[in-house]
Amino acid sequence: MGAFSGFYKKTIQERIELLKQERGINDGEAKVLLDSGALDLETANRMIENLVGVNHLPLGIAPGFRINGKEYAVPMCIEEPSVIAAAAKAAKLAAQSGGFTADADEPVMTGQVQLVNVPEDVLEKFNANKGEIAARAKELASGMEMYGGGYRECEAHTLETSRGRMLVAVFYVDVRDAMGANTLNTLLEGIAPLLEEKVAGEARLRILTNLAVRRKARAKCTWKKEVVGEDAIEGILDGYELAVNDIYRCCTHNKGIMNGVDAVAVATGNDWRAVEASAHAYAAMDGYTPLNKFYKNEDGDLVGEIELPLAVGTVGGAINTSPTAGIALKLLGAESAMELSMVMAAVGLAQNFAALYALGTEGIQKGHMKLHASNLAAGAGAKEGEIEKVAKKMQEQNEYSVESAKNILKKLRGE
Ligand code: HMG
């Protein structure tokens, strides 16, 4: 982990100094971070409607991720204690085991045009005019060609529904480093009149699908038994098996993965609702299953693998308007949307590893509550200087509640 070793033991100021040295953060960017993000009301008012304020989320760093031989300090935006610590712990154990490998598909987004009131031979008509449809689609997505992307292909299928037969025309576009929603939706609205004219029916919905199955990322790590311990490996495998066999557990299992994935999406200004929707739809394609796998290899080491669609960008959208998203991307050092998606897959896998490690051994509450203790202390009314003392006492007593924090505080103040 080198320079980032003991990152969490440093003061905020020391962490920022380290980011300046190690990640090239300049004084202006450091000021934005220290000013709690500094999203001014005017900018915010352009981002959404009916603005009345700005809601802040903490931005932290999970250091120590080694992915394809490169070291990452991963920015994560999240309100929940212990998520970043858990990611850092899993990353550290992964690095001691050789690190993660990861890969990603080309960034190809998928969009649909729905045609209603279509005749029986609608598919034949689509196929007969496919050349012209493809040529128009290519023209409509030509803005992406200068970046190496652009239209890739199209296809169609019919659906027999309670409202009659429909044709769904599907378009695939390589959107390179963008999330791609605007490019796709512009193409879909632009091509719809041609479909009505040359194919049949009336165009209704013209919208991308968030189930970006041609834009998946994968990560893998083999955690060595000497590093993790055989008991912990058995605990992780038992926990994983419950998720495979029980949808109630599987939901929480995947939520744990998304703790990490979403936190990186939010930090980098990406559309986390799209990321969430696609992950769960993908998990449900053959009945709802875990997004990852754990198994033991012939040496008794723990192998973890994850695959999920990740439609994320490094340019456009909130990435350009949020003052911290650009800084987060700089800190991460991911040079493309594909690289960002690989990091997110590794973080999701790490997050689940850490949660299962804790759940399968000492339980989740000890680590979680240890980190939540200072929030409880503040909630009980402890002030600067008192918070740490109250949190420490709660840890000693292993009693975590606002009530117990209040009692400790009373004693501390001699009341
Ligand atoms: P630990 O082993 O007691 O910690 O774990 P440690 O003090 O021995 O430190 C080990 C490493 O953890 C450190 O290495 C750090 O990398 C990291 P070092 O740098 O010292 O060489 N670490 C920290 N990083 C940043 N800040 C800290 C910190 N402390 C340790 N303060 C830990 C403690 C909390 C990491 C562990 O208990 C853990 O991983 N727990 C799981 C927590 C978790 O998953 N939280 C998610 C929220 S709960 C939830 O929503 C999801 C869930 O329901 C999903 C599911 O059910 O699957 C759980």
Side-chain angles (χ1 to χ4, degrees), residues 247-257 259 288 352 359:
I247 191 167
Y248 290 92
R249 172 56 205 156
C250 192
C251 172
T252 318
H253 179 101
N254 284 342
K255 185 271 181 186
I257 291 173
N259 270 346
Y288 192 71
N352 181 243
L359 287 164

Side-chain angles (χ1 to χ4, degrees), residues 70-85:
K70 179 171 168 181
E71 302 291 330
Y72 294 89
V74 182
M76 297 175 75
C77 237
I78 192 155
E79 84 295 344
E80 191 174 9
S82 86
V83 169
I84 293 179

Side-chain angles (χ1 to χ4, degrees), residues 10-123:
K10 295 183 189 297
T11 63
I12 298 172
Q13 191 67 50
E14 286 168 346
R15 290 177 198 151
I16 300 280
E17 286 307 317
L18 186 75
L19 296 181
K20 281 184 174 176
Q21 284 161 28
E22 295 296 319
R23 291 294 185 268
I25 292 298
N26 61 38
D27 288 343
E29 290 162 338
K31 187 172 180 318
V32 170
L33 294 175
L34 291 167
D35 283 351
S36 308
L39 178 60
D40 63 86
L41 286 184
E42 222 173 276
T43 310
N45 200 27
R46 282 195 298 272
M47 290 171 80
I48 63 157
E49 308 72 40
N50 298 351
L51 185 98
V52 293
V54 172
N55 182 350
H56 292 272
L57 274 180
L59 170 67
I61 299 282
F65 273 87
R66 186 158 179 229
I67 306 168
N68 295 337
K70 179 171 168 181
E71 302 291 330
Y72 294 89
V74 182
M76 297 175 75
C77 237
I78 192 155
E79 84 295 344
E80 191 174 9
S82 86
V83 169
I84 293 179
K89 176 177 172 173
K92 176 182 146 181
L93 298 178
Q96 288 170 355
S97 304
F100 295 88
T101 53
D103 67 277
D105 299 332
E106 295 298 313
V108 174
M109 289 296 276
T110 309
Q112 302 174 307
V113 179
Q114 174 197 31
L115 292 174
V116 297
N117 301 326
V118 293
E120 213 169 301
D121 65 346
V122 64
L123 259 186

Side-chain angles (χ1 to χ4, degrees), residues 369-370 372-382 386-413 415:
M369 294 316 281
K370 193 167 87 180
H372 191 43
S374 51
N375 280 338
L376 293 172
E386 294 173 326
I387 292 177
E388 218 163 276
K389 289 179 190 150
V390 175
K392 192 158 178 264
K393 196 78 191 156
M394 273 194 283
Q395 282 167 36
E396 282 165 19
Q397 297 176 352
N398 198 21
E399 274 177 27
Y400 297 98
S401 67
V402 175
E403 218 35 58
S404 105
K406 278 184 180 162
N407 291 335
I408 295 167
L409 191 59
K410 268 189 196 161
K411 278 195 195 141
L412 189 72
R413 289 174 175 173
E415 290 168 2

